């Protein structure tokens, strides 16, 4: 949803994004049958509470300029997402970096046929396998 909003309203091209819940479920950190929030992952993996003020969360994020509270909320979420990603990667027994981990996930993805003459997957195919969404 956020990537669509960024593209539509902000003119930002999001090339890909990953669902941290799906990565956490793949690594056995959370049950795959029960989706969870970024706040839950931050609490479980980082031991921190991610403030989620309902008044700000449910407010009109399309209103410009955003308030200082909106900017802080968004910045906390962005940083928490990055910290959760690094925490997930650091739990791996081989000590691989985030980049190595993502490369390994791509290597494990089934090879897909493509109409592309170069034999590369069609845009979005591999990302969909990884719980990511390519644009």
């Amino acid at each position: 949803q956020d990537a669509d909003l960024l593209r539509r309203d902000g003119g930002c091209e999001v090339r890909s994004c990953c669902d941290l819940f799906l990565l956490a479920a793949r690594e056995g950190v959370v049950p795959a049958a029960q989706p969870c929030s970024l706040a839950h992952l931050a609490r479980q993996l980082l031991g921190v509470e991610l403030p989620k003020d309902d008044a700000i969360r449910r407010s009109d994020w399309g209103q410009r300029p955003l308030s200082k509270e909106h900017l802080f909320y968004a910045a906390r979420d962005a940083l928490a997402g990055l910290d959760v990603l690094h925490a997930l990667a650091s739990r791996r027994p081989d000590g691989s970096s985030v980049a190595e981990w993502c490369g390994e996930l791509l290597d494990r993805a089934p090879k897909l046929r493509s109409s592309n003459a170069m034999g590369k997957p069609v845009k979005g195919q591999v990302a969909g396998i990884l719980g990511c969404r390519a644009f």
Side-chain angles (χ1 to χ4, degrees):
Q1 293 172 337
D2 291 341
D4 292 336
L5 181 66
L6 285 169
R7 184 185 323 110
R8 186 186 72 231
D9 296 347
C12 296
E13 184 64 23
V14 177
R15 295 186 185 226
S16 65
C17 58
C18 288
D19 187 322
L20 292 172
F21 157 70
L22 294 175
L23 292 176
R26 179 176 286 114
E27 294 301 313
V29 174
V30 295
Q34 186 175 357
C36 64
S37 66
L38 176 60
H40 177 84
L41 291 173
R43 185 173 40 257
Q44 184 170 343
L45 292 167
L46 307 173
V48 298
E49 290 296 322
L50 189 57
K52 292 291 184 178
D53 184 333
D54 279 343
I56 293 173
R57 189 170 60 87
R58 295 180 182 176
S59 64
D60 180 6
W61 282 81
Q63 184 178 355
R64 297 292 185 260
L66 289 173
S67 70
K68 185 188 300 185
E69 291 80 13
H70 282 90
L71 295 174
F72 284 143
Y73 184 103
R76 276 192 305 263
D77 268 15
L79 292 172
L82 183 61
D83 289 346
V84 164
L85 177 63
H86 284 283
L88 285 168
S90 73
R91 295 171 63 96
R92 300 186 47 78
D94 63 0
S96 57
S97 70
V98 170
E100 292 166 333
W101 182 38
C102 290
E104 176 191 321
L105 288 171
L106 286 171
D107 289 342
R108 285 191 304 182
K111 302 304 177 202
L112 302 170
R113 291 192 181 265
S114 165
S115 59
N116 179 318
M118 300 298 290
K120 293 182 181 178
V122 172
K123 190 176 188 180
Q125 285 181 325
V126 171
I129 292 167
L130 299 179
C132 303
R133 188 168 156 206
F135 296 91

